[in-house]
Amino acid sequence: MFSRLLIANRGEIAVRVIRTARRLGIATVAVYSDADRDALHVRMADEAVNIGPAPAAESYLVAERIIGAARATGAEAIHPGYGFLSENPAFVEAVEQAGLTFVGPSAASIRAMGLKDAAKRLMEEAGVPVVPGYHGDAQELVLLAGKAREIGYPVLIKARAGGGGKGMRRVDDPDKFADALASCRREAKAAFGDDRVLVEKYIEKPRHIEVQVFGDKHGNVVHLFERDCSAQRRHQKVIEEAPAPGMTAEMRAAMAQAAVKAAKAIDYAGAGTIEFIVDGSDGLRPDGFWFMEMNTRLQVEHPVTEMVTGVDLVEWQLRVAAGERLPLTQDEIELTGHAFEARVYAEDAAKGFLPAIGTLHHMRFPDRVASGGRIRVDSGVAQGDAITPYYDPMIAKLIVHGDDRRTALESLAEALGETRIAGSTANIAFLKALTENGAFAAGDVDTGMIERNLDELTIRPEPNRSAVFQALLAASGFTSAPTSGDPWEVAAGYGHFHPLTRTVRLKRNEEMLEASATPVAGGRVRLEMEDATSTFPLSGRAEPKLRGGSDRFATDTPALQYGDLSPSGSDNHALWPGHVTVFDGACGHDFEIPDPFAAAEDRGAGDRLIAPMPGLVKLVRANVGDTVRRGAALLVLEAMKMEHTITAPHDGAIAEIAAEGAQVSEGTVLVRFAESG
């Protein structure tokens, strides 16, 4: 076994590899960009080496710097994680030429599966079923459009390199094929440096089921059962589970046999995943699945397989890379219980899953649930760390295991309801809503399910009066429980000539909220708004008494209980610079604490559009002087590896618009409209 390992990655996968290496007694070396100088994986590793500026192209994707760091620190092997250089055959060869061991498959195996069209031709030769489509080299629009007509609409245009849903579009109308193709090519070129595509038949009720395979350098290949990754949005996985709901023994045997056959066809060694698209319109049938692609690396969702098999896949990777045989034979690998993984992202589901950035001022995950399921949290960040615009905005993966699917799903829902994140918008409420969706709960899942139910899954509930009062209490400063019944003792920071009653102001969206806060006997604080009054205890579990009513806030649910701790030790609110967040189950309601010295806001904001995050102006579709209608596409902003279309909020004439190719920061004016009249 190796004595020192370099991890050529960042975030949660780097942390994940470090934990297994530490258990095996292997010293670890982290690499980091300037933006990751204080990252969790850097703090956890035995040694860390800076490899360049924040952009991945200048750091994590520079093979020479990573190999140089390995040689300088005496590392014997390099684990690539996933993403970045993990499926780059040239990097594998460079690692081996440097006398180091690459923890993964051979360069030849990666090349064989690296291009979707070539991989599908190879699978056809190996007897693995593939989806009908065009996988040829010719890329002319006329030819591709003709092939699409031959296949029959709807069709799917896919970048032949890469994955993760980038460079992928469904097309239902022949008249929209050209625009979809152009968009795919731009996105594929930006993400993978290759704008070539393939065209396939779109399966009407598709399920995404994949099989985990593992091979060693002695010719042995096994499978570790399947995972269902059908819960997707924008072709990105949201919640994964193992085993697949509705799976039959006959179907599992057919898929597993095809997956092992695919791995053996390329002499595969290491962890890999064979992804299948499955026709879920009439149950799972052995003749209703087709090879989609192979990921020649560890998958993001590998923990669900570990939970149902008890296998540490990273340990297997290290042992296979060191030349050992697979630790278990096929007959020795058992499937036990059910597991889910939910991907917690810094993103705003109610705004089209717009990626978010910010400091994680408060972050807590439960370590147990009442339903009895097991919980595991894989994260590359800790409280106080920042989500930056440079990399994938994943905060954590919340993984649960139960004796059966129902128990596991209940555990996941409960765990999400007790997760607390403040400082950056997160998708927790969306994930919780998905676990409570009737179709998902019944296992009736396909890749279009989220899109069909998007409105109900992304509803952003308004805070009820209890939550508003909790926020006002937190911002008041009256948060210390007294040791006696003296009402003066509760007045934190009280001094002579200071009024005992305080005026508390908060801002929620565009509405200013104001209340007076007064300490009263019994260790309580009375909050009075214009139309309602609430008296709160400063500790304990008693509910506040509400008097008065208002239609401004949602109907009250049972009042949040100040100081009522979750199993992780987090409470019901978080104070962070200029803000307070009140947690109501999976929902976090953010309130702004106004700065009395802040300048008046720009009154002309309605006549301009600003960049919601740093990014690149990829495409400009309007010119200065154009008169546009509300909803018209004005430009495409590329940020967080995705394209975002910026549209006109109202009718008007364009007075100024950002230049195509411009790199903009958050808050930059992208479009300014001429004054009307």
Side-chain angles (χ1 to χ4, degrees), residues 178-342:
D179 286 345
L181 176 63
S183 180
C184 276
R185 283 176 165 164
R186 284 196 307 270
E187 202 168 271
K189 184 70 174 179
F192 317 120
D194 185 345
D195 66 356
R196 289 172 292 179
V197 302
L198 51 85
V199 182
E200 292 181 342
K201 177 66 178 174
Y202 183 84
I203 308 302
E204 287 291 351
K205 191 177 180 182
R207 288 180 61 177
H208 181 146
I209 300 178
E210 59 191 31
V211 177
Q212 177 72 60
V213 294
F214 226 108
D216 62 24
K217 298 176 182 179
H218 304 277
N220 302 305
V221 178
V222 298
H223 71 83
L224 291 94
F225 306 102
E226 80 282 349
R227 299 184 289 258
D228 194 311
C229 307
S230 301
Q232 302 180 6
R233 54 94 183 156
R234 292 181 181 173
H235 305 292
Q236 300 257 5
K237 299 167 186 175
V238 174
I239 294 181
E240 302 97 344
E241 61 182 299
M247 180 60 68
T248 65
E250 184 182 15
M251 176 72 162
R252 176 174 290 137
M255 291 188 76
Q257 181 182 32
V260 170
K261 187 183 296 184
K264 287 184 174 180
I266 57 171
D267 297 322
Y268 196 78
T273 301
I274 310 297
E275 299 193 357
F276 295 102
I277 188 167
V278 179
D279 182 357
S281 61
D282 188 25
L284 300 182
R285 308 181 316 277
D287 62 347
F289 71 92
W290 302 273
F291 172 86
M292 189 162 52
E293 63 183 337
M294 180 179 187
N295 288 295
T296 51
R297 53 169 168 78
L298 201 65
Q299 289 280 87
V300 176
E301 59 272 21
H302 75 274
V304 293
T305 294
E306 294 184 323
M307 292 289 257
V308 296
T309 62
V311 169
D312 184 331
L313 294 177
V314 174
E315 177 180 346
W316 277 33
Q317 284 187 297
L318 294 171
R319 293 193 180 282
V320 166
E324 298 182 22
R325 293 180 179 274
L326 292 175
L328 297 175
T329 65
Q330 189 66 70
D331 292 340
E332 294 173 322
I333 303 171
E334 297 182 354
L335 177 67
T336 304
H338 203 99
F340 285 94
E341 173 184 290

Side-chain angles (χ1 to χ4, degrees), residues 466-500:
S466 296
V468 172
F469 278 121
Q470 287 282 356
L472 289 165
L473 175 65
S476 72
F478 293 129
T479 56
S480 299
T483 57
S484 71
D486 184 353
W488 297 90
E489 190 175 325
V490 77
Y494 174 78
H496 292 299
F497 310 112
H498 288 75
L500 186 60

Side-chain angles (χ1 to χ4, degrees), residues 598-612:
E601 63 183 46
D602 184 358
R603 299 293 183 184
D607 291 327
R608 61 180 184 162
L609 293 171
I610 62 174

Side-chain angles (χ1 to χ4, degrees), residues 516-584:
S516 62
T518 306
V520 295
R524 305 172 75 83
V525 169
R526 184 176 66 249
L527 293 173
E528 296 180 84
M529 296 183 71
E530 182 179 342
D531 52 4
T533 299
S534 176
T535 302
F536 277 80
L538 288 179
S539 63
R541 299 169 180 269
E543 295 184 3
K545 296 178 180 178
L546 297 174
R547 296 196 304 275
S550 169
D551 293 332
R552 289 189 299 159
F553 309 118
T555 303
D556 279 337
T557 56
L560 299 169
Q561 295 162 12
Y562 189 79
D564 186 7
L565 303 184
S566 74
S568 66
S570 62
D571 55 24
N572 74 313
H573 81 275
L575 276 167
W576 46 291
H579 298 79
V580 58
T581 298
V582 174
F583 302 112
D584 183 1

